[in-house]
Amino acid sequence: MHIPDGFLDLKTCVTTGVAGALAVAFGLRKTRDTLMRQEVPKIALIGAFIFAAQMLNFPISGATSGHFLGGTLAAILFGPAVAVIVMASVLIIQALVFQDGGLTVLGANILCTGVIGIYSGYGFYRLGLGLLRGRASHVVTFLAAWISIVSASAGVALLLAWSDTFPLDIALKAMVGWHSLIGIGEGFITAMVVAYLTERRIAIEPLPAKREVPQA
Amino acid sequence: MNEPRKVTGNKRKWIVLAIVTLLAGGIISYFASPHPDGLERVAEDHGFIDKAESPSWTAWIADYEVPGIGVPLLKVGVAGLIGAGLLFLVLYSITGSLSRRVRGKDDVGQNDDHAS
């Protein structure tokens, strides 16, 4: 859901530009305080993966496609501050080199698919894990990724309405409608990759009871 | 940290992810759905897709197709590999310059970490 140049008016571009820049600055600052050296190649690899996965548009109904975004994935693995940097880097390179998403709306894209998507998805993830005490974490991950796509699309709808491109109620309905389908794909990919790349944090547990040796 | 799951340190899994990334960007990307995505669909349905401008002079690989390559599969695939490679380099240098601490080594005295 990369917004192209021309969809948003000047005030929206400027406001979101400032907000996006602040968010990235905050992300960089926070990351500087907490980042561990051994995470660096992993973060870089996840960024490359997110870029490649975003190219893979999958068909949904009605001659429409959707693609992975990855904000929730990056946030679950490395925290929301790092995720903002990853998503901003992906969006900046896509806009600069690949003409995917406009330059004047870069801030808007960072705000919606980055900040809103990341914090809504990650917020739900932490809340869900807390409430369920870590049970059903794959389901929580799936739902978190779904919510992040739907919130990001609602953010885009708000900006479209604010720019008078499109009335708010129709914009919300249309954007949220399509992206609640696309979010299912996001949920599956995020849950799969998180399951593969994370392990349970195990405190020292007693060994399982010895099984009886079967009689020959 | 009370996260129930931690990021794996298993090198093999990260190598698998790297291979998946190369396959996704380099080959599978060619077979991606050409249909408009969610936002483009909404813009088409409600008549403002024509507002989209694409004047960016910096975009030397517009629409994920490297100019000057004849084979369509390569056109998209090379674009995917360049993009993934760029992301790796950019994020490696950004996060690399931000991280100074190595777990266990420099933990002592981390409170006066305000130099520079």
Side-chain angles (χ1 to χ4, degrees):
Chain A
M1 82 183 90
H2 296 54
I3 308 169
D5 282 320
F7 275 20
L8 301 181
D9 64 6
L10 184 64
K11 70 166 187 306
T12 312
C13 290
V14 173
T15 315
T16 53
V18 172
L22 287 175
V24 172
F26 173 78
L28 288 170
R29 209 186 151 74
K30 192 125 195 267
T31 303
R32 198 186 58 187
D33 295 339
T34 54
L35 190 66
M36 296 292 179
R37 182 82 213 169
Q38 66 266 32
E39 287 183 315
V40 168
K42 297 175 186 170
I43 294 169
L45 200 47
I46 282 293
F49 171 79
I50 289 176
F51 175 89
Q54 285 201 4
M55 285 180 78
L56 310 182
N57 284 61
F58 47 83
I60 56 174
S61 68
T64 305
S65 72
H67 64 76
F68 180 66
L69 279 180
T72 309
L73 171 66
I76 290 176
L77 294 178
F78 304 111
V82 171
V84 169
I85 297 171
V86 170
M87 293 306 283
S89 307
V90 171
L91 288 163
I92 289 169
I93 286 178
Q94 284 172 333
L96 276 179
V97 182
F98 298 93
Q99 212 175 326
D100 191 10
L103 285 177
T104 58
V105 293
L106 197 48
N109 279 323
I110 291 177
L111 209 59
C112 292
T113 57
V115 178
I116 295 175
I118 286 164
Y119 281 93
S120 61
Y122 186 70
F124 179 87
Y125 174 77
R126 292 306 300 257
L127 190 74
L129 286 191
L131 288 177
L132 296 172
R133 299 184 187 196
R135 275 170 295 175
S137 69
H138 300 316
V139 179
V140 173
T141 305
F142 176 93
L143 289 175
W146 183 85
I147 282 168
S148 100
I149 296 305
V150 172
S151 325
S153 76
V156 172
L158 282 175
L159 295 182
L160 288 173
W162 198 32
S163 304
D164 286 325
T165 304
F166 202 14
L168 180 61
D169 51 338
I170 311 175
L172 264 179
K173 219 164 137 189
M175 283 302 286
V176 168
W178 284 111
H179 288 92
S180 55
L181 291 176
I182 296 171
I184 297 173
E186 181 85 11
F188 272 119
I189 298 173
T190 305
M192 269 188 329
V193 178
V194 168
Y196 185 66
L197 290 180
T198 59
E199 2 184 277
R200 252 172 227 292
R201 198 183 282 282
I202 300 173
I204 300 158
E205 273 179 17
L207 286 171
K210 239 185 197 173
R211 253 189 283 159
E212 263 180 64
V213 181
Q215 301 292 324
Chain B
M1 295 295 269
N2 52 353
E3 302 245 0
R5 301 183 75 86
K6 64 179 169 76
V7 176
T8 183
N10 183 340
K11 268 213 179 104
R12 220 174 56 195
K13 290 194 168 188
W14 289 98
I15 292 169
V16 169
L17 187 78
I19 294 168
V20 169
T21 299
L22 293 178
L23 287 177
I27 295 172
I28 310 169
S29 55
Y30 174 69
F31 301 97
S33 165
H35 290 308
D37 76 4
L39 175 59
E40 290 164 340
R41 160 61 55 204
V42 172
E44 279 179 18
D45 288 352
H46 297 272
F48 61 91
I49 190 77
D50 294 336
K51 279 194 157 195
E53 301 156 9
S54 42
S56 175
W57 44 268
T58 58
W60 53 283
I61 314 182
D63 295 324
Y64 301 93
E65 290 183 349
V66 181
I69 297 183
V71 189
L73 176 72
L74 283 181
K75 229 177 173 163
V76 180
V78 173
L81 294 180
I82 291 175
L86 270 176
L87 251 308
F88 186 88
L89 290 177
V90 166
L91 282 171
Y92 199 101
S93 45
I94 293 176
T95 52
S97 70
L98 288 175
S99 78
R100 284 165 297 173
R101 290 187 296 159
V102 177
R103 183 173 287 154
K105 267 192 183 170
D106 300 339
D107 278 358
V108 185
Q110 54 179 287
N111 287 333
D112 39 42
D113 207 8
H114 299 298
S116 87

